[in-house]
Amino acid sequence: MNASRAWKVAALFAIACGAAVPAGAEPAPADEAAFRAIYKELIEINTTRSVGNCTQAAEAMRAHLSAAGYPDEDLQVLAPPEAPNDGALVSVLRGKDPSAKPILLLAHIDVVEAKREDWARDPFKLVEEDGWFYARGASDDKAMAAIFTDSLVRYRKEGYRPRRDIKLALTCGEETAGAGLFDSVRWLVQTRPEVLSAAFAINEGAGGEFDRSGKPIVLGIQAGEKVYQDFALEVRDPGGHSSLPKPDNAIARLGAGLARLNAHDFPIQLNEVTRAYFGAMAKLSDAAVAADMRAVLQSPPDQAAAKRLWAANPAWNAMLRTTCIVTMINGGHAPNAIPQHVKANVNCRILPGVPVAEVQAEIARVLADKSIVVTPAGEGGVQSPLPPLTEAIVGPARKVAETIWPGVAIVPTMLPGYTDGKYLNPAGVPTYGLSGLFEDAEGDHIHGLDERMRVRSLMDGRRFLYEVVKLYADAK
């Protein structure tokens, strides 16, 4: 990264005094029912890879924008001929200054698989219970997709005309792109880069955090994400009859190597964003946790402190280092035969700037067994540069946040996973995770059973994004 890049993170740590707005203290806006209808409709269209249809969901959101008055030429549902069910909606609210680069509002509408028999409720029916919405996609990522669609509807109906264009892209394939399957953003960047071209993008990747009492304490802005890379680990053997075992066994050899890899910690490597994150969080955490955060910021980092942070929150460990875990294993061909072939998948989340080849070499070194062949699998790891957190990005977020959650701290963060920002950042569109959607320590169960979204969090996030996007769109 260019050392001259101006990282204005000092302003992120200013914390004003004030009390949080109590949940339910204000009456619901008159247009909330229309937003709820958009959210419900989007969630109840199944968009899983196995049986879902993103094009149907994109067309449904297109209909709302068309009804609000958007002309057909500003509403496109795009998909290649070979992936007709993977459509993405791209729409534009035209600005007053054609020389100003647009901003891009990005959200994916595909969701992770969900089996009805595993869930307490139907995952594809929106259920509201005890202050929560439950459904697959309630959080990831149909909350932001519905909010952005709703915002563009409201802007049009109000006659709002921003300084610069506001683009909306509701895309398909983010949840399975790591497996090398179709992804709208990758496809558009490669074939029609002008469609997503923008000064910057607002995307998923960071939310807000409640403390134990339910008070909003941290609003995150994601500026950077880790690189997704799978590796195939394989051992082969001529095999034979199980009654005549040999000293070597393919399953046992791979198992022993995986045990060594599981015990291995990649080195701690901090960057501008993670240094800023732990520095900010040390000011907001309990004394013991704060001390450990300051200890990992030392040179060299305190390894014992890092272990304690890992035990307290796995996400903190994931922000400090590259991580690799075995996620799948398959081996043997018959119960009465020496195994001829055993294969495991190791999933790595690699820190920005660390070459994939370097991680592959480290895995091979730790396995310490030349019979275990290590090869990259799936889509090659996409290196995504850290976008600059300037005052132009942080300032509007701080201003709006203070009106909704007085006293909340604005904190930079790096995503341990990945988003479609991994395609946009290298393409020259700085991409930031900013949602205004708050959660408690238990989280929203994304990718898991009974995914959920706090009702109040969704409505506050709706207000936040509606207002902050206006500030971005009208900025000089």
Side-chain angles (χ1 to χ4, degrees):
M1 178 177 295
N2 191 326
S4 66
R5 177 175 287 175
W7 283 80
K8 300 183 179 180
V9 296
L12 301 179
F13 306 145
I15 305 172
C17 297
V21 177
E26 299 177 2
D31 56 6
E32 185 178 297
F35 166 64
R36 283 171 170 259
I38 289 174
Y39 183 58
K40 175 180 172 67
E41 180 181 17
L42 185 57
I43 278 177
E44 295 189 352
I45 298 173
N46 188 321
T47 53
T48 58
R49 170 60 61 184
S50 60
V51 298
N53 192 320
C54 285
T55 301
Q56 181 184 350
E59 290 286 3
M61 297 303 101
R62 181 186 185 281
H64 288 284
L65 295 173
S66 180
Y70 284 82
D72 288 346
E73 59 265 28
D74 290 339
L75 300 171
Q76 303 179 77
V77 175
L78 302 171
E82 65 272 17
N85 292 339
D86 294 340
L89 171 65
V90 179
S91 60
V92 184
L93 175 62
R94 299 294 175 182
K96 294 178 286 189
D97 183 357
S99 68
K101 291 192 72 172
I103 64 171
L104 174 64
L105 311 181
L106 179 67
H108 67 86
I109 52 177
D110 62 305
V111 296
V112 169
E113 302 291 337
K115 295 181 179 180
R116 175 65 186 92
E117 60 268 27
D118 295 338
W119 282 54
R121 308 160 188 84
D122 187 333
F124 297 103
K125 295 293 182 183
L126 184 64
V127 174
E128 182 177 352
E129 288 181 6
D130 302 324
W132 294 89
F133 289 118
Y134 291 91
R136 176 58 87 221
S139 175
D140 185 16
D141 185 28
K142 290 182 176 180
M144 287 188 73
I147 288 171
F148 284 152
T149 303
D150 169 74
S151 291
L152 261 67
V153 167
R154 295 164 70 190
Y155 296 153
R156 185 78 184 191
K157 288 183 175 179
E158 293 165 2
Y160 168 60
R161 198 169 173 212
R163 175 174 175 257
R164 65 187 71 239
D165 289 358
I166 300 175
K167 290 184 178 180
L168 170 64
L170 304 182
T171 62
C172 189
E174 192 270 352
E175 296 293 5
T176 51
L181 301 176
F182 175 81
D183 179 275
S184 294
V185 176
R186 177 179 57 208
W187 172 65
L188 288 169
V189 165
Q190 292 173 347
T191 63
R192 300 185 61 181
E194 75 284 353
V195 171
L196 300 182
S197 177
F200 63 91
I202 300 299
N203 185 30
E204 63 172 337
E209 298 178 23
F210 293 116
D211 66 12
R212 292 189 183 95
S213 67
K215 177 183 176 180
I217 55 169
V218 169
L219 176 65
I221 300 182
Q222 179 223 338
E225 54 193 64
K226 295 176 85 173
V227 176
Y228 181 108
Q229 180 64 62
D230 286 312
F231 291 96
L233 277 57
E234 298 180 83
V235 180
R236 296 183 181 274
D237 186 274
H241 200 286
S242 61
S243 67
L244 303 172
K246 300 180 294 185
D248 286 336
N249 180 293
I251 292 177
R253 294 195 74 137
L254 182 58
L258 290 173
R260 289 189 287 273
L261 182 61
N262 187 66
H264 175 69
D265 292 335
F266 285 79
I268 294 173
Q269 295 176 270
L270 294 159
N271 56 45
E272 295 96 328
V273 174
T274 52
R275 283 189 179 279
Y277 173 84
F278 285 106
M281 292 301 295
K283 299 179 180 180
L284 301 168
S285 302
D286 295 340
V289 171
D292 284 340
M293 288 180 171
R294 287 190 289 268
V296 298
L297 293 174
Q298 297 172 359
S299 183
D302 186 316
Q303 298 296 327
K307 289 286 188 183
R308 290 191 293 269
L309 290 176
W310 188 353
N313 185 342
W316 290 338
N317 176 70
M319 292 176 69
L320 288 171
R321 66 178 93 236
T322 291
T323 61
C324 293
I325 68 164
V326 59
T327 55
M328 300 175 67
I329 191 163
N330 182 44
H333 60 285
N336 59 349
I338 296 171
Q340 297 170 183
H341 180 214
V342 58
K343 181 177 181 179
N345 186 82
V346 167
N347 178 247
C348 295
R349 306 303 177 106
I350 303 170
L351 289 172
V354 176
V356 170
E358 183 178 305
V359 175
Q360 181 178 347
E362 180 73 354
I363 292 172
R365 185 189 68 79
V366 173
L367 292 173
D369 188 335
K370 292 184 178 180
S371 73
I372 304 175
V373 178
V374 182
T375 55
E379 180 185 42
V382 179
Q383 288 286 348
S384 181
L386 302 177
L389 272 177
T390 63
E391 182 63 19
I393 298 297
V394 177
R398 184 194 307 113
K399 181 177 181 179
V400 177
E402 186 62 27
T403 67
I404 303 174
W405 311 286
V408 74
I410 310 298
V411 175
T413 186
M414 184 187 74
L415 190 68
Y418 76 89
T419 71
D420 278 325
K422 73 176 185 176
Y423 302 117
L424 286 176
N425 279 306
V429 182
T431 302
Y432 303 93
L434 181 65
S435 71
L437 299 170
F438 279 73
E439 61 183 35
D440 58 23
E442 187 180 340
D444 289 336
H445 303 174
I446 62 172
H447 290 206
L449 297 178
D450 301 312
E451 183 178 344
R452 63 185 189 169
M453 168 61 65
R454 193 185 299 266
V455 176
R456 183 69 261 159
S457 291
L458 183 66
M459 301 311 163
D460 283 350
R462 177 190 183 224
R463 176 184 168 190
F464 173 78
L465 288 172
Y466 169 84
E467 294 180 9
V468 80
V469 166
K470 277 189 168 184
L471 294 183
Y472 289 137
D474 288 333
K476 297 295 186 182

